[in-house]
Amino acid sequence: MKCKHTELLQQIEVSRSTLNDLSQSHPLYSDSIVMQSQELDDLLNEYNALLKQN
């Protein structure tokens, strides 16, 4: 279980960092930012669901 938690946390951090980088060079509602934001939301939802299982 911890392995999945760790993997998700790493993916969340990479996604967050990517979103931050994109926000420096793209308009707020650009396709790139919207897609990256949705990916981050999905990862966070998956992580929260995993936490609720315990």
Side-chain angles (χ1 to χ4, degrees), residues 30-48:
S30 69
D31 289 344
S32 298
I33 288 186
V34 170
M35 288 174 46
Q36 189 62 41
S37 179
Q38 289 173 342
E39 178 183 319
L40 180 56
D41 284 346
D42 291 345
L43 289 168
L44 289 168
N45 288 337
E46 184 178 349
Y47 183 75
N48 285 329

Side-chain angles (χ1 to χ4, degrees), residues 3-40:
C3 184
K4 183 64 175 172
H5 280 201
T6 301
E7 180 183 326
L8 275 172
L9 286 173
Q10 288 172 341
Q11 290 175 340
I12 288 167
E13 179 55 27
V14 168
S15 183
R16 186 208 58 78
S17 180
T18 301
L19 184 58
N20 188 47
D21 290 345
L22 285 171
S23 71
Q24 303 299 315
S25 60
H26 290 74
L28 182 59
Y29 294 105
S30 69
D31 289 344
S32 298
I33 288 186
V34 170
M35 288 174 46
Q36 189 62 41
S37 179
Q38 289 173 342
E39 178 183 319
L40 180 56

